[in-house]
Amino acid sequence: MRSIGIFGGTFDPIHYGHLRTALELKSLLDLEKVHIVPCADPPHRTAPMSDGALRLRMVEAAIRSERGFVADDRELRRAGVSYTIDTLASFRAELPGQSLCLLLGMDAFLGLPQWRRWRELTTLAHIVVAHRPGWAAPTTGTLGELLRDLRAPSVAELHSKAAGFIHVQPVTQLEISSTDLRDSLRAGRDPKFLVPDSVREIIIETECYAEPL
């Protein structure tokens, strides 16, 4: 039973930092698929600059030629705030016995205690933390205790049960900030080599990040 990855975010826009992390985690963890789930109404940050349909279109364009990647619109179809616990519950209802891996960056993991019903997340899925140089996994406090209690003995264990483990996985560091990218686009700079060409074409066509007139 190979695990399915769930990779959420605003993806405003999706860029090579997101895509490289998803690709490496899919390969290193031997995931069957990775669902990329654009957030509709993020609870811990300002609203996305581009609307959900356009961000989904950019995700679809970015992963069109990549087997095993799925553009998943469930949060865009669901009314209200996009809580991860609700997203995982919907995956679990569809795939009751499947191993699920929630894919997070270390920055998101460090903010986990602010998430809604965060202690229940591991009852629905494993948590995989993408670890980049410069971010240290916590060793003390609530999250340090959680890591000690739930850390997966090996990657293979993620496939052996449906949920319950935490795994920290080193990935390649690509320091691309969506905020900086949007600022650059507003200033009229070209996003070439920061986003796939298919996404760049959509950004240029729609002028979705252009400075308002």
Side-chain angles (χ1 to χ4, degrees), residues 140-206:
T140 59
T142 301
L143 293 178
E145 293 175 6
L146 193 71
L147 273 172
R148 284 195 299 275
D149 292 343
L150 300 182
R151 198 154 196 161
S154 68
V155 168
E157 293 297 320
L158 299 175
H159 303 283
S160 70
K161 56 187 291 191
F165 286 126
I166 298 176
H167 174 69
V168 179
Q169 177 64 55
V171 295
T172 300
Q173 182 179 22
L174 287 181
E175 288 296 341
I176 303 175
S177 159
S178 293
T179 300
D180 292 345
L181 179 53
R182 290 192 300 272
D183 289 344
S184 175
L185 290 165
R186 274 197 298 273
R189 291 192 282 275
D190 193 327
K192 192 175 181 66
F193 304 133
L194 295 173
V195 300
D197 286 344
S198 56
V199 174
R200 175 176 174 265
E201 290 169 6
I202 293 171
I203 291 171
I204 292 171
E205 170 203 331
T206 62

Side-chain angles (χ1 to χ4, degrees), residues 7-83:
F7 187 33
T10 53
F11 303 116
D12 191 25
I14 192 165
H15 54 64
Y16 279 130
H18 300 129
L19 294 164
R20 184 65 203 183
T21 295
L23 182 67
E24 289 193 18
L25 291 177
K26 181 178 181 296
S27 175
L28 293 166
L29 305 178
D30 191 27
L31 301 176
E32 180 181 338
K33 292 185 289 187
V34 173
H35 287 248
I36 299 181
V37 187
C39 178
D41 183 5
H44 302 298
R45 60 177 64 190
T46 56
M49 189 169 176
S50 293
D51 66 39
L54 183 56
R55 287 182 288 115
L56 180 67
R57 181 183 165 198
M58 288 190 279
V59 169
E60 290 170 339
I63 66 174
R64 189 167 292 134
S65 61
E66 191 61 41
R67 288 186 61 189
F69 279 13
V70 179
D72 192 310
D73 68 349
R74 72 185 63 217
E75 290 191 356
L76 301 176
R77 288 185 281 108
R78 191 171 69 229
V81 177
S82 301
Y83 292 114

